[in-house]
Amino acid sequence: MQRRLSEEDAAFQQKMRTYFTDEFPAELKEKGTNRNDLDPQDIRRSQATLAEAGLAAPGWPVQWGGQDWTSLQKFIWDSEMRAAGVPPPLPFNTSMVGPVIAAFGSEELKERFLPKTLSCEIWWCQGFSEPDAGSDLASLRTTAVKDGDHYVVNGQKIWTTLAQHADWIFALVRTDPNAEKKQRGISFLLIDMKSEGITVRPIKTLDGDVEVNEVFFEDVRVPADQLVGEENKGWDYAKFLLGNERVGVANVGLVKKTLADVKAHAREVTRGDGTLLDDPQVAARFARLEADLMALELTVIRVSGGSKDGKPDPASSILKLRGSELQQDVLELAIDVAGPMAASWDDSVVPQWAADAVPTYLNFRKATIYGGSSEVQRSIIATGILGLKG
Amino acid sequence: MQRRLSEEDAAFQQKMRTYFTDEFPAELKEKGTNRNDLDPQDIRRSQATLAEAGLAAPGWPVQWGGQDWTSLQKFIWDSEMRAAGVPPPLPFNTSMVGPVIAAFGSEELKERFLPKTLSCEIWWCQGFSEPDAGSDLASLRTTAVKDGDHYVVNGQKIWTTLAQHADWIFALVRTDPNAEKKQRGISFLLIDMKSEGITVRPIKTLDGDVEVNEVFFEDVRVPADQLVGEENKGWDYAKFLLGNERVGVANVGLVKKTLADVKAHAREVTRGDGTLLDDPQVAARFARLEADLMALELTVIRVSGGSKDGKPDPASSILKLRGSELQQDVLELAIDVAGPMAASWDDSVVPQWAADAVPTYLNFRKATIYGGSSEVQRSIIATGILGLKG
Amino acid sequence: MDLNITDEQKALTEAVSGVLARHGNPASNSGVSAEPAAHDPKVWEALVEVGVPALPWSEEDGGVGAGFAELTVAAAEVGKSRIHLPLAETVVAGAIITRTAPDSLRRELIGALAEGSALPVPALDEPMRAWSPTAPTVRAEGSGESWTLTGTKAPVRFAQDATHVVVSADTGSGTGLFLVTDVQAKGESLTFEGTSATLLADGEQAEQALAEALALGGAVLCGEALGAMEEALGRTTEYLRTRKQFGMPLAAFQALTHRAADMYAELELARSAALFAAMVADDDPVDVDAIARCRSVVDRAGKLVGEEAIQMHGGVGVTAEYAVGHLTARLTQIARTWGTPDDRVGELAAAVGGHESISLLG
Amino acid sequence: MDLNITDEQKALTEAVSGVLARHGNPASNSGVSAEPAAHDPKVWEALVEVGVPALPWSEEDGGVGAGFAELTVAAAEVGKSRIHLPLAETVVAGAIITRTAPDSLRRELIGALAEGSALPVPALDEPMRAWSPTAPTVRAEGSGESWTLTGTKAPVRFAQDATHVVVSADTGSGTGLFLVTDVQAKGESLTFEGTSATLLADGEQAEQALAEALALGGAVLCGEALGAMEEALGRTTEYLRTRKQFGMPLAAFQALTHRAADMYAELELARSAALFAAMVADDDPVDVDAIARCRSVVDRAGKLVGEEAIQMHGGVGVTAEYAVGHLTARLTQIARTWGTPDDRVGELAAAVGGHESISLLG
């Protein structure tokens, strides 16, 4: 065990800091890191810039634009990127479909998709959940029936984040309805969103925004060479992907930035002769959250993270579980810092951050629901780690 | 709805206060209300005194020494008794076996047992739990086999509180091992603790005290006329009893007294230039607990409480659930008020209350376990009130 | 002490719920966001017809002369309905007026409030200032009958439709309460630039009137939260019974049903607190701390019930077109009205040394 | 930054656990209460033979010159074993000595501590005084080499067997730290009546040395708590797998297994915190707030894991003859050693305005 960075790592940190602070385009950082405030074109530009610098997906194989970094270096990369306010690469591309294609796709698929996935020339969205397959994902009913050298896809996906901007969708589809176990009949298919028969219906969330969608498939013809890996093995790839996704969803960098922002606001809000940050109860909440966040951040570094040998590391479940809860705790504190101002969502009445407090809090109740709900994570821990099989 | 006491109730309150403060023997109040600190003879004397004044078991039928009081008056009775530091009547007698005998026993049983149960001439203990029948009480295996006009009892009970002082035990025993449902073969038997074949083994708890015991039955012959109600109907009587017990276990009076004592200590402990009670975080814990306790106390008054028509009121489960948690929260606060002193259990090193803080906290972890664990209460609420059957 | 609902109160409940069902058009039905809605004069008028806004005021002043017990059960129906109405706001403004305004003004305003022709609301909050009932930054200058106000109050809920605003302002020698009739709102923001105002009270009288009025408004919020929690729990248990995952209803998953049991326990404690708050509100003088204690219980219950209701609904819980998240949104807002949950605990903590324990009987 | 355990540390773990298994005779085996036990010289001697008490001290002073990473993994084994040992106490006393004593005294004392012939412990707490490292009521009078102490320190863990006591006292101009060799303990109480003492440090130097020493002791406590939690969770999951109720193993009840998952999550966060505390302890100067933050994480995890371990065991969990409650007792005590959990949060809260966010790299 050792706390201080080695000379090599310190130099690495300095290099990252210099790039993100000085070299990365300032106009892309000014809009903040909230995906909803960013123009889709900005998100594409930001990722393309990172990809060019070799900084979009360090976890990928080096051959496809990744970096041969230690997990500590990946952590430093992420921390510095977040601290500088750089919009991070799309997780659908770099944490989800990219690693799956790299691990299980044919050479042809890799060449066709990985470069554009890295640069965000293709914007991906995730087609996993369905109205009757939420936590019970393996119950999905969207079908893909082989017809010559095509699959014909019918069904419906839901909670598809940013589908309205996406060029392609990676979807779990049922290719063998008669499989012995429902997990065995599922395949992992790449589908062009411009295909005939695809309809996207936006779902408005409590905050009034549209980030998630329903995606309907009606006789959508998908070339069979857009199947990843083997037919009916899609469940394994999905588990691999979800293992990766959980690590990303710990979201330490983002939460740390948010907490720092909330603290800055608490310093600006007047209470009596001082500020809200002088209030012992408010200060105690910051102190607790900083300690929690520290422990989570250390755990991200400690748990090697990500999928191993094609299987998700069950320990990564704690990162999703606690990361999402912590994010919600920070957003709740933001409401209390906004105080009376939180009663208005109108930024002409109160400052933007205060107007955003309640809608953001409400919207991020989703953090413990999507990407494998807290209940799913607890079951994975209980079964996969603690050996508590019912 | 009305907050103020009616004139009649105000007079009632005054009468109770006068009795408990001025008339009840002072020497019985001085030792406090902790059953472990009291001499068993004091407990008997205290209850006998209350019985004589008609104040031992107001919930019983008037004919057997109860009172025709409203639930508000019963609440006032309990509050005033606790506030004055009067050792309350034994719950095994007045809240458990007494109501069962009164509701389901024959006239003969009533005459034989209720007066002595009221006055504590008989000290009862409860023989329900067994080593393999805890939350799953209906799995109990202690058998009672009819042999002429006797039952022959064999088996083992556990967690029998104060069995070492008890004269009699009321026990659930299996009289029909072949019953279709395991609940149907159980009977409710009254057994003299001096019977041949009974052995009591004390169980030492974490605090070093002995309050609970194992009770072993080896060919114990019990006269058949000590069966309460009908054979094989004991499960119904037990459920009735547990409904009553839960109300008692809300323990509002005791918890309120404890919280007030802890606050008094916080006033005496120095912190900086003031006292520990001046510390905003400590004061906030008191404020939260006082609010919680208020809500619980109001709920005790509001929920009619107790068993209705021979069935427990499922709403009373919340009183046990939250009452036991609140008691534990107060005892945890007591540790933090004792602060560094809590490191010693030795009253020659630190004041008695500080020396007691940790052992009492540890011992009362049992509060959420016995008398129907919190898990059992949640299941009762989910099934019985919310209609959530798995 | 009697915490039971009377038959009259039950009848009122049904009348109010009927009115709201007929007129209600909650955000979730039309799929708009959970943003606090503007005043809906039609629903308000219907409530006026049933006599709801008039309930707590004396007959002498033009009210119904019922009490907060009645108002609380009505507020619970509002909470269930997900309609945003200035019930607590008019109570705070009305209570300040009844405690401070001269007889004629009091009768005029309360009468107009009761019959729906006036909508008085309080304007106490200021941007970038944590909750505090006293020491505002809006300045009052003048004397006797002639005062002017300068500064900004925001957000002021229902400012756009308010006919009268009760404003806290710094008189130079303490906090004063003022009545402003020329309400020029930009959204829910009120900026005064030498705006003329009537002094209602200042100094200790103002502080006392404001504290009591806020407590009364708090009692109404407790009732509204109670209704919202009941509805949220009811919808959640229904969902658990009907929604299937892994081939079973969610109600088969003990991890969920045990948490639902905890929601129920919190709801029942909050119900006791809300009913008690109403009782206390009918006392004179009002026990301000007792109501703060009730709100504190409701705060915690509202958080648990609201958050768990969404969690157990999964994805649909955060959508605008589904009711449950709107209930959570309102519960979140109620807990931050006139102070945060921590503020209330802080107030109670500051007073904790003043008593040995809490007696329900006051 | 590397949070992995080295092979050498693993070997140490095994050595320590072997020693404790051979010598251990925890209260639960003999069914006595969970009262903090007196010093057990035999076990201590065995630990001295493996070199544990010598680990953190420099070779120059007679120590092993390893570090807190090593000490922490050893402390975790102590935590698992349920044996009460003055590991954290000697670290606090030793750290004060290394920071304040003159060279010859330092070498003599640390050498004796390392080889087991001296047992120095801190005496900081006083009856009826909340935790505070400074401004004690024990008075120190004198100057130069000649000082006497008057007053009472209690409780002083392991006072009966201590050979040296490091005492905080009020010099009249601030807090001083003194070494007392004539240790006259009554139980765990020490009363000084003009007892002669050696001044180690006073003023700012004393406060700094004490703060750092307590942080180092806190790091050791984190390690011990980590071991206790691991053992408690291990025993709990084993119990859930084997104990049957309603005809099924408890592991079939999702309400329990999901809570066990939460215990695991807390344990893993606490593991990160404990390992990090050890890293920080090896830095110079010691980042006192960073270790307080680690302790705060461990405090909360210890409460959850300890309380849930008993709850899931049911009745046996509170019996003296069963191990799990003893682990909970020790976790409860660890969280109240040198301040309560609230005290630590309060300290961190007071400093929260001093930084924008927490950087792990210091």
Side-chain angles (χ1 to χ4, degrees):
Chain A
M1 298 193 290
Q2 190 195 322
R3 182 184 190 190
R4 298 279 168 224
L5 288 183
S6 67
E7 226 168 278
E8 193 192 335
D9 287 335
F12 177 86
Q13 184 187 40
Q14 194 48 54
K15 195 176 125 193
M16 289 297 123
R17 189 168 296 174
T18 305
Y19 174 76
F20 290 124
T21 316
D22 302 341
E23 299 171 26
F24 189 87
E27 73 273 17
L28 288 171
K29 290 187 282 186
E30 278 159 13
K31 303 195 186 174
T33 52
N34 188 337
R35 251 188 256 123
N36 290 328
D37 298 337
L38 283 169
D39 190 283
Q41 288 313 317
D42 290 342
I43 292 179
R44 289 181 193 264
R45 268 190 62 209
S46 178
Q47 184 164 333
T49 309
L50 291 170
E52 217 166 299
L55 300 177
W60 286 19
V62 175
Q63 160 184 25
W64 298 108
Q67 299 280 0
D68 194 16
W69 290 346
T70 63
S71 50
L72 177 59
Q73 288 173 325
K74 282 181 218 154
F75 167 78
I76 293 171
W77 161 77
D78 185 69
S79 304
E80 296 295 330
M81 179 169 65
R82 302 289 184 160
V86 171
L90 281 178
F92 321 110
N93 288 33
T94 58
S95 306
M96 298 183 190
V97 74
V100 168
I101 294 175
F104 305 107
S106 63
E107 281 308 304
E108 198 199 324
L109 274 190
K110 289 181 197 173
E111 277 164 30
R112 180 170 167 199
F113 287 107
L114 287 181
K116 291 182 178 174
T117 299
L118 187 72
S119 66
C120 208
E121 226 175 301
I122 295 176
W123 180 315
W124 289 94
C125 64
Q126 180 191 41
F128 278 19
S129 293
E130 297 184 7
D132 287 321
S135 287
D136 180 13
L137 188 56
S139 300
L140 58 90
R141 295 193 299 208
T142 296
T143 53
V145 178
K146 201 74 171 278
D147 178 21
D149 55 359
H150 280 73
Y151 287 100
V152 180
V153 177
N154 276 286
Q156 181 193 351
K157 295 291 174 181
I158 196 169
W159 314 125
T160 312
T161 304
L162 300 182
Q164 70 268 42
H165 304 314
D167 307 304
W168 283 70
I169 184 168
F170 53 94
L172 292 179
V173 291
R174 187 161 301 283
T175 36
D176 180 2
N178 303 317
E180 214 177 299
K181 280 185 68 184
K182 57 187 176 177
Q183 284 83 353
R184 296 227 180 109
I186 293 171
S187 297
F188 194 109
L189 214 53
L190 309 179
I191 308 174
D192 190 331
M193 289 290 280
K194 290 183 295 291
S195 311
E196 207 170 317
I198 292 185
T199 320
V200 175
R201 189 186 84 85
I203 300 173
K204 195 176 276 187
T205 43
L206 289 169
D207 59 347
D209 250 323
V210 174
E211 203 187 38
V212 290
N213 302 269
E214 290 178 287
V215 180
F216 298 89
F217 299 86
E218 209 186 325
D219 291 332
V220 177
R221 293 186 67 81
V222 179
D225 62 3
Q226 286 165 210
L227 175 79
V228 176
E230 294 176 47
E231 200 177 69
N232 298 326
K233 288 277 176 71
W235 186 251
D236 294 338
Y237 313 150
K239 282 206 297 181
F240 170 88
L241 179 153
L242 290 170
N244 275 316
E245 189 192 8
R246 271 192 282 285
V247 175
V249 178
N251 251 338
V252 167
L254 173 63
V255 175
K256 189 185 267 196
K257 182 86 170 62
T258 310
L259 184 58
D261 288 345
V262 177
K263 194 197 271 190
H265 298 315
R267 259 187 234 281
E268 292 162 5
V269 171
T270 310
R271 156 147 282 173
D273 296 330
T275 79
L276 198 53
L277 196 57
D278 302 326
D279 181 305
Q281 290 215 71
V282 173
R285 284 175 71 183
F286 278 103
R288 284 204 178 88
L289 290 171
E290 285 183 349
D292 292 347
L293 186 56
M294 174 205 73
L296 185 68
E297 189 171 10
L298 288 164
T299 308
V300 171
I301 298 176
R302 191 169 61 77
V303 175
S304 56
S307 298
K308 278 179 190 161
D309 318 324
K311 284 182 185 168
D313 179 352
S316 65
S317 283
I318 63 174
L319 303 179
K320 168 65 165 70
L321 186 62
R322 287 291 180 255
S324 54
E325 289 172 353
L326 191 51
Q327 182 173 29
Q328 292 177 338
D329 289 346
V330 169
L331 293 174
E332 192 190 5
L333 178 55
I335 301 179
D336 290 328
V337 167
M341 293 186 286
S344 177
W345 294 21
D346 179 349
D347 67 2
S348 74
V349 174
V350 297
Q352 181 74 54
W353 66 267
D356 285 347
V358 172
T360 308
Y361 161 82
L362 289 171
N363 187 32
F364 276 89
R365 300 314 304 171
K366 73 186 178 190
T368 46
I369 294 170
Y370 67 7
S373 71
S374 293
E375 289 74 18
V376 167
Q377 306 304 334
R378 288 195 194 94
S379 290
I380 290 173
I381 293 171
T383 316
I385 300 178
L386 303 178
L388 299 172
K389 302 191 197 219
Chain B
M1 298 194 288
Q2 190 195 323
R3 182 184 189 190
R4 299 280 168 223
L5 288 182
S6 67
E7 226 169 276
E8 193 192 335
D9 287 335
F12 177 86
Q13 183 186 40
Q14 192 50 54
K15 195 175 123 193
M16 290 295 125
R17 189 168 296 176
T18 305
Y19 174 77
F20 290 124
T21 316
D22 303 340
E23 298 171 26
F24 188 87
E27 72 274 16
L28 288 171
K29 289 187 281 185
E30 278 158 14
K31 305 194 186 175
T33 52
N34 189 336
R35 253 189 255 125
N36 291 327
D37 298 337
L38 283 169
D39 190 281
Q41 289 312 317
D42 289 343
I43 293 178
R44 289 181 192 264
R45 270 189 61 208
S46 179
Q47 184 165 334
T49 308
L50 290 169
E52 218 167 296
L55 299 177
W60 287 19
V62 176
Q63 162 185 21
W64 297 109
Q67 299 280 0
D68 194 15
W69 289 346
T70 63
S71 50
L72 178 59
Q73 288 173 324
K74 283 180 218 154
F75 167 78
I76 293 171
W77 161 78
D78 185 70
S79 304
E80 295 294 332
M81 180 168 67
R82 303 287 185 162
V86 171
L90 281 178
F92 323 109
N93 287 34
T94 58
S95 305
M96 298 185 192
V97 74
V100 169
I101 294 175
F104 306 106
S106 64
E107 281 309 303
E108 200 199 321
L109 273 190
K110 289 180 197 173
E111 277 163 30
R112 180 170 166 199
F113 286 106
L114 287 181
K116 291 181 179 176
T117 299
L118 188 71
S119 67
C120 208
E121 226 175 303
I122 295 176
W123 180 315
W124 289 95
C125 64
Q126 182 192 37
F128 279 19
S129 293
E130 298 184 6
D132 287 321
S135 287
D136 181 14
L137 189 55
S139 299
L140 59 90
R141 295 193 299 205
T142 297
T143 54
V145 178
K146 201 72 170 282
D147 177 23
D149 55 359
H150 280 74
Y151 288 99
V152 180
V153 177
N154 277 288
Q156 179 193 352
K157 295 292 176 182
I158 196 168
W159 314 126
T160 313
T161 305
L162 299 182
Q164 70 268 43
H165 304 314
D167 306 305
W168 282 70
I169 185 168
F170 53 95
L172 294 180
V173 291
R174 187 160 303 282
T175 37
D176 180 1
N178 304 317
E180 213 177 301
K181 279 185 67 184
K182 57 187 178 177
Q183 285 83 351
R184 296 228 180 110
I186 293 171
S187 296
F188 195 109
L189 213 52
L190 310 178
I191 308 173
D192 191 332
M193 288 291 280
K194 289 183 296 293
S195 312
E196 206 170 317
I198 291 185
T199 319
V200 175
R201 190 187 84 86
I203 299 174
K204 194 176 278 186
T205 42
L206 289 170
D207 60 347
D209 250 324
V210 174
E211 203 187 38
V212 290
N213 302 270
E214 290 178 287
V215 181
F216 298 89
F217 299 86
E218 208 187 325
D219 291 332
V220 177
R221 293 186 68 80
V222 180
D225 63 2
Q226 287 165 209
L227 176 80
V228 176
E230 294 177 47
E231 201 176 70
N232 298 327
K233 287 278 177 70
W235 185 252
D236 294 339
Y237 313 151
K239 282 206 297 181
F240 170 88
L241 178 153
L242 290 170
N244 274 315
E245 189 193 8
R246 271 192 281 285
V247 175
V249 177
N251 253 336
V252 167
L254 173 62
V255 176
K256 191 187 266 197
K257 182 88 171 62
T258 310
L259 184 58
D261 289 345
V262 177
K263 195 198 269 190
H265 298 313
R267 259 187 234 281
E268 293 161 3
V269 171
T270 311
R271 156 147 283 173
D273 296 332
T275 79
L276 197 53
L277 196 57
D278 303 326
D279 180 304
Q281 290 215 71
V282 173
R285 285 176 71 182
F286 279 104
R288 284 204 178 88
L289 289 171
E290 285 183 351
D292 292 347
L293 186 56
M294 175 205 74
L296 185 68
E297 190 171 10
L298 288 163
T299 309
V300 171
I301 299 175
R302 191 168 61 77
V303 175
S304 56
S307 297
K308 277 180 189 162
D309 318 324
K311 285 183 186 168
D313 179 351
S316 64
S317 282
I318 61 174
L319 304 180
K320 167 65 166 69
L321 186 62
R322 287 289 181 257
S324 53
E325 288 172 352
L326 191 51
Q327 183 173 28
Q328 293 178 337
D329 289 346
V330 169
L331 293 174
E332 192 190 4
L333 178 55
I335 302 181
D336 289 328
V337 167
M341 293 186 285
S344 178
W345 294 22
D346 180 350
D347 67 3
S348 75
V349 173
V350 297
Q352 181 73 55
W353 66 267
D356 284 348
V358 172
T360 308
Y361 161 82
L362 289 171
N363 187 32
F364 275 88
R365 299 315 305 173
K366 73 188 178 190
T368 46
I369 295 170
Y370 68 6
S373 70
S374 293
E375 288 76 18
V376 167
Q377 306 304 335
R378 289 195 194 96
S379 289
I380 291 172
I381 292 170
T383 316
I385 300 177
L386 302 178
L388 299 172
K389 302 188 198 222
Chain C
M1 163 119 22
D2 179 1
L3 283 151
N4 294 304
I5 306 286
T6 64
D7 288 344
E8 287 77 11
Q9 288 159 355
K10 270 183 207 146
L12 177 66
T13 300
E14 280 158 29
V16 173
S17 103
V19 162
L20 295 171
R22 270 197 305 284
H23 288 260
N25 182 22
S28 55
N29 289 1
S30 46
V32 303
S33 82
E35 182 170 6
H39 187 53
D40 183 335
K42 275 193 194 159
V43 188
W44 187 250
E45 202 177 300
L47 275 193
V48 165
E49 274 165 32
V50 201
V52 171
L55 284 170
W57 316 114
S58 73
E59 290 179 79
E60 187 203 354
D61 290 347
V64 165
F68 279 87
E70 282 69 22
L71 191 56
T72 289
V73 301
E77 292 307 311
V78 172
K80 282 181 194 166
S81 77
R82 290 162 283 135
I83 306 177
H84 297 184
L85 290 166
L87 216 50
E89 285 78 7
T90 54
V91 163
V92 172
I96 292 172
I97 290 161
T98 56
R99 278 161 173 72
T100 61
D103 284 5
S104 60
L105 179 60
R106 187 184 77 231
R107 285 191 195 129
E108 181 199 322
L109 273 176
I110 298 295
L113 163 60
E115 66 186 24
S117 58
L119 193 74
V121 301
L124 307 170
D125 294 317
E126 297 169 1
M128 297 307 280
R129 198 165 68 90
W131 165 250
S132 166
T134 56
T137 64
V138 166
R139 277 173 301 111
E141 284 166 341
S143 64
E145 313 242 308
S146 163
W147 289 83
T148 61
L149 303 182
T150 305
T152 297
K153 291 283 182 185
V156 179
R157 277 294 281 147
F158 304 108
Q160 297 105 312
D161 290 75
T163 57
H164 300 74
V165 191
V166 178
V167 185
S168 59
D170 182 359
T171 62
S173 62
T175 305
L177 291 170
F178 296 85
L179 186 69
V180 171
T181 51
D182 178 22
V183 185
Q184 303 282 350
K186 278 190 186 164
E188 296 198 333
S189 183
L190 282 180
T191 298
F192 305 108
E193 293 167 317
T195 310
S196 63
T198 309
L199 177 69
L200 293 170
D202 62 0
E204 216 169 290
Q205 194 209 350
E207 287 185 18
Q208 178 67 20
L210 186 52
E212 291 200 14
L214 288 167
L216 298 179
V220 176
L221 291 175
C222 285
E224 195 183 337
L226 176 62
M229 282 187 271
E230 277 182 353
E231 184 72 13
L233 179 59
R235 284 175 180 265
T236 302
T237 51
E238 180 59 24
Y239 191 78
L240 293 178
R241 275 192 292 265
T242 49
R243 166 80 173 171
K244 285 190 179 179
Q245 292 275 282
F246 305 98
M248 288 178 283
L250 290 181
F253 295 91
Q254 199 192 38
L256 299 180
T257 59
H258 274 209
R259 281 158 52 194
D262 279 325
M263 292 166 75
Y264 173 78
E266 285 292 288
L267 169 64
E268 288 305 308
L269 293 174
R271 183 189 309 283
S272 303
L275 295 174
F276 186 62
M279 281 186 185
V280 173
D282 280 328
D283 277 351
D284 183 28
V286 174
D287 182 342
V288 169
D289 280 351
I291 293 182
R293 226 166 265 128
C294 294
R295 286 201 66 190
S296 194
V297 170
V298 171
D299 287 343
R300 200 186 58 183
K303 174 179 158 67
L304 183 91
V305 173
E307 293 183 348
E308 285 284 59
I310 289 184
Q311 183 69 25
M312 294 200 196
H313 275 83
V316 295
V318 293
T319 61
E321 60 206 42
Y322 202 81
V324 84
H326 290 267
L327 294 162
T328 306
R330 181 64 187 136
L331 287 167
T332 304
Q333 205 64 66
I334 286 174
R336 275 82 184 180
T337 301
W338 306 314
T340 65
D342 279 348
D343 289 335
R344 276 181 285 284
V345 171
E347 280 167 37
L348 291 169
V352 96
H355 53 262
E356 194 179 311
S357 57
I358 304 296
S359 166
L360 294 185
L361 305 173
Chain D
M1 163 122 18
D2 179 2
L3 283 151
N4 294 304
I5 306 285
T6 63
D7 287 345
E8 287 77 10
Q9 287 160 357
K10 270 183 205 147
L12 177 67
T13 300
E14 279 159 31
V16 173
S17 104
V19 163
L20 295 170
R22 270 196 304 283
H23 288 260
N25 182 23
S28 56
N29 289 0
S30 46
V32 303
S33 82
E35 182 170 5
H39 186 52
D40 183 334
K42 274 192 195 160
V43 188
W44 187 251
E45 202 177 300
L47 276 193
V48 166
E49 274 164 33
V50 202
V52 171
L55 285 170
W57 316 115
S58 72
E59 289 179 80
E60 187 203 352
D61 290 347
V64 164
F68 278 86
E70 282 68 24
L71 191 57
T72 288
V73 301
E77 292 307 311
V78 172
K80 283 182 193 165
S81 77
R82 289 162 284 134
I83 306 178
H84 297 183
L85 291 166
L87 215 51
E89 285 78 8
T90 54
V91 162
V92 172
I96 292 172
I97 290 162
T98 57
R99 278 162 174 70
T100 60
D103 284 4
S104 60
L105 180 60
R106 187 184 77 232
R107 284 189 196 132
E108 180 198 324
L109 275 176
I110 299 295
L113 163 59
E115 67 186 24
S117 58
L119 194 74
V121 302
L124 307 170
D125 294 318
E126 296 169 2
M128 297 307 281
R129 197 166 68 91
W131 165 250
S132 165
T134 56
T137 65
V138 166
R139 278 174 300 111
E141 284 168 338
S143 64
E145 312 243 308
S146 164
W147 289 83
T148 61
L149 303 182
T150 306
T152 297
K153 291 284 181 184
V156 178
R157 277 295 279 147
F158 304 108
Q160 298 106 309
D161 289 76
T163 56
H164 301 74
V165 192
V166 177
V167 185
S168 60
D170 183 0
T171 64
S173 62
T175 304
L177 292 170
F178 296 86
L179 186 70
V180 171
T181 50
D182 176 22
V183 186
Q184 304 281 350
K186 278 188 187 168
E188 295 197 332
S189 184
L190 282 180
T191 298
F192 306 106
E193 293 169 316
T195 308
S196 63
T198 307
L199 176 68
L200 292 171
D202 62 1
E204 214 168 290
Q205 194 209 349
E207 288 185 18
Q208 178 68 18
L210 186 52
E212 291 201 13
L214 288 167
L216 297 180
V220 177
L221 291 174
C222 285
E224 196 183 336
L226 176 62
M229 283 188 268
E230 277 182 353
E231 184 72 14
L233 179 58
R235 284 175 180 265
T236 303
T237 51
E238 181 59 26
Y239 191 79
L240 292 177
R241 276 192 292 264
T242 50
R243 168 81 174 171
K244 285 189 179 178
Q245 292 275 282
F246 304 101
M248 286 177 284
L250 291 180
F253 295 92
Q254 198 191 39
L256 299 180
T257 59
H258 275 208
R259 281 158 52 196
D262 279 326
M263 292 166 76
Y264 173 78
E266 285 292 288
L267 169 63
E268 288 305 309
L269 293 174
R271 182 189 308 282
S272 303
L275 295 175
F276 186 62
M279 280 185 185
V280 174
D282 280 327
D283 278 352
D284 184 27
V286 174
D287 183 341
V288 169
D289 280 353
I291 292 182
R293 225 166 265 128
C294 294
R295 286 201 67 188
S296 196
V297 169
V298 171
D299 287 343
R300 199 186 60 183
K303 175 179 158 68
L304 182 92
V305 173
E307 292 184 350
E308 286 284 58
I310 289 184
Q311 183 69 25
M312 295 201 195
H313 275 84
V316 294
V318 293
T319 61
E321 61 207 42
Y322 201 81
V324 83
H326 290 266
L327 293 163
T328 307
R330 182 63 188 138
L331 287 167
T332 305
Q333 206 64 67
I334 285 174
R336 275 81 184 180
T337 301
W338 307 314
T340 65
D342 278 350
D343 289 335
R344 274 180 287 283
V345 171
E347 280 165 38
L348 291 169
V352 96
H355 52 261
E356 194 179 312
S357 59
I358 303 296
S359 166
L360 293 185
L361 304 174

